[in-house]
Amino acid sequence: MKGVHLRRPILIAMIGYIIGILVGLYLKISIVPFCFLVIAIYKIKQIYKAKRDKIEEENDIKSRKNKKVKENKTRKKLKLLSLKRYIRYLRIYINSKIIFLILISSIISNSIIIIQNKKYEQIYNSLEKQEKINLVGVVVSNKEEKKFSNKYKIETKYNNTKIRLYIMVKKDIQLKYGDKIEFMGEYIRPEKRRNYKGFDYSNYLKQLKIYGTMKITNVKVIEERKANPIFQISNEIKTKIISNTKETLDEETSAILLGLILGNKDDIDENIEENFRSAGMAHILAVSGMHVTYVILGLSLIMKKILGKRRNYIFCICVLIVYMFITNFSASVTRAGIMGIIMILSKIFYRKNDIYTALSISLFIILIYNPFLIQSLGLLLSYGGVIGIIILNKSILSILKNIKIKNKKY
């Protein structure tokens, strides 16, 4: 009988990876000693089992010689009623390979999260000690308007480590995506949770790979277009879509359309947003798997006859990658995009698409990039929603098939 471990090794590894992250985040301890203890116990148990089997075999030979086969059979029947019988069934699914895979993946993720937490603390402490900090960095976000200042995300080097920071500049200072700037200012460390179950701003910034905020006193633009070329182009495409939409449509319609296609809710009126919430349709304004599905279906309907089946699949993959870049790799879009690409690749190579493996691969990629995203509410809702659909899909369909309206099945 084949076990689950032979069919879905990536899912098993993913479970171990999540365990390691959670232990590192919440217990703040290394899982390595525990894993070595489990391996040592397992090896000792194997040695003990081998010796016990040898003794039982010798006893069995002796009992046969003494013609006590009936008594031996009775003993075996009684043993089947013990806990060992059920442990044997459990071993079919949870054997040494599964345990080993979970332990290895949990050790890796646990080590990563502990190392990264130490790195954050070291940089926090180092930046806090300096009254005025002078750095050179590249702007990697568009302007975010605040009440008294403009906010940008910058990428810089500090102590030979690449870090990201928020910078707050005066309203009259205008920066562009890709500008290389020299700036001086005061560092503000992100606050930790003060109250039980309160909002932890430092954890939130870790999900964005940001090390804190700087209030800038002096800023000077050195060069333009110095960001990563791929991200620079994707940002320009996004900016062009936004500007063209605003020019073509009226303010209200363009704001809703940008929310629908890019998840950009900055220009949507609060009353309209509240109406979407009241109608239970607020998720439409947040870019998610639904949008990725529309992209795949739309391209398949339009381009299938023009490009042909195989070329259309490749074209869909390219568009999905571009779409993920434009939407800044938000958790839900990345999940749906990766799963969509895996589904398309399975059709190209004539392989069966396993939904659990696809989910595991997408989550693996996201958590390898940033393990702190395990705390992201958007990621949890995205994966929770998909898992709920997978589990309840058959049950809901069977209920819907049996619904009768005026004695007619629909």
Side-chain angles (χ1 to χ4, degrees), residues 15 24 57 125 167 228 238 258 263-264 314 324 344 396 405:
I15 291 166
E57 193 178 339
N125 296 330
I167 59 167
N228 182 299
K238 183 180 178 178
L258 290 171
N264 189 350
I314 296 164
M324 284 191 283
I344 293 166
I396 291 167
I405 300 171

Side-chain angles (χ1 to χ4, degrees), residues 52-64:
R52 192 183 62 188
D53 289 344
K54 192 177 179 181
I55 292 164
E56 281 181 2
E57 193 178 339
E58 287 173 1
N59 289 338
D60 192 50
I61 292 163
K62 284 178 184 179
S63 63
R64 288 192 183 198

Side-chain angles (χ1 to χ4, degrees), residues 359 381-396:
L359 263 176
L381 289 172
S382 179
Y383 279 91
V386 174
I387 292 165
I389 290 166
I390 294 164
I391 294 168
L392 300 173
N393 183 41
K394 287 182 180 178
S395 302
I396 291 167

Side-chain angles (χ1 to χ4, degrees), residues 221-233:
V221 178
I222 303 167
E223 290 179 81
E224 294 182 350
R225 297 179 63 83
K226 295 303 289 181
N228 182 299
I230 298 169
F231 285 99
Q232 183 85 49
I233 292 164

